[in-house]
Amino acid sequence: QGHHVKSRALENHILYNRIEDTQGVNSSRLIDLPNCGFSVVMGNDLLQSASTSNTNAIGYGPEGCAKRYGKQMQLFVVNNTLINEASAGTLVRNHTDSNITVINNVLFGAGSVLIGRGDEINNFREDLRNLQPASWEPPKGSPAIDAAITQPAVSGISLTPIAEFQAPAGYTERIRRGELDAGSREIPAR
């Protein structure tokens, strides 16, 4: 049991990854930021299995954020795709009084986008049954297509995704087909 990504850093950029549970394993959060930090989580493929022991995919500040202030108390969760195979779950659990931003994400399966204080903007839900095998994209006809809201840069960091995860490791350019889609991927054909 453990978290896939855990960081106590003052600044975190978690961009264009695939972070996923293994079936039948008793893992915890996909991303744990226990002591806050200025954090951008963008363009990631996230999979939370039915056997997870902690149904918040991303935890922010669960161990407290002592000696963190201003910029170090900001979280931006932008254009990610969460496949939640658990019967319940949350994309982001904010344990702090900080106002975080969760925008342009796509969630397949049950659960909520945000628990705790924050702005939940322009996130889309899809039925898990609509997920195509080996795909991280919303299905054809999804309201997430061409629907992302552009965000201004924060502290010099762009909040517009420019890449997508490419297996087995690394990333490739995110090629737009029309307006920017919500989620971690652009739909290849409309």
Side-chain angles (χ1 to χ4, degrees):
Q1 183 178 5
H3 306 300
H4 292 274
V5 176
K6 183 169 186 158
S7 175
R8 299 179 192 280
L10 293 177
E11 189 161 333
N12 302 286
H13 300 213
I14 303 171
L15 312 173
Y16 317 123
N17 299 285
R18 179 166 295 157
I19 304 168
E20 57 186 325
D21 282 342
T22 303
Q23 297 302 317
V25 174
N26 187 20
S27 65
S28 193
R29 290 185 185 96
L30 300 176
I31 301 171
D32 185 51
L33 304 169
N35 302 116
C36 302
F38 173 77
S39 302
V40 176
V41 178
M42 182 170 64
N44 298 287
D45 300 338
L46 306 170
L47 176 89
Q48 184 167 260
S49 75
S51 60
T52 185
S53 66
N54 191 334
T55 58
N56 348 128
I58 302 169
Y60 191 69
E63 295 178 20
C65 301
K67 298 184 182 175
R68 306 284 168 102
Y69 58 91
K71 177 183 173 184
Q72 299 163 356
M73 298 281 293
Q74 296 179 9
L75 170 64
F76 298 90
V77 179
V78 183
N79 279 87
N80 299 282
T81 297
L82 171 64
I83 298 171
N84 180 29
E85 296 177 340
S87 59
T90 303
L91 174 60
V92 181
R93 171 68 168 97
N94 182 7
H95 297 264
T96 75
D97 290 333
S98 296
N99 194 45
I100 66 173
T101 301
V102 183
I103 184 168
N104 294 332
N105 299 284
V106 174
L107 286 77
F108 284 91
S112 58
V113 173
L114 174 64
I115 294 178
R117 186 173 176 196
D119 295 320
E120 183 180 328
I121 306 165
N122 202 49
N123 298 289
F124 297 88
R125 298 184 146 292
E126 294 288 347
D127 192 303
L128 198 53
R129 295 172 292 190
N130 293 339
L131 182 64
Q132 299 299 310
S135 175
W136 294 86
E137 301 153 356
K140 289 182 181 178
S142 169
I145 298 170
D146 293 336
I149 297 172
T150 304
Q151 292 294 289
V154 176
S155 296
I157 306 299
S158 173
L159 296 181
T160 301
I162 58 168
E164 298 177 348
F165 174 79
Q166 183 177 33
Y171 58 87
T172 187
E173 180 184 1
R174 182 173 176 147
I175 299 171
R176 288 193 196 185
R177 294 162 184 88
E179 297 300 316
L180 182 67
D181 295 341
S184 61
R185 306 228 165 215
E186 291 290 308
I187 304 289
R190 305 255 186 243

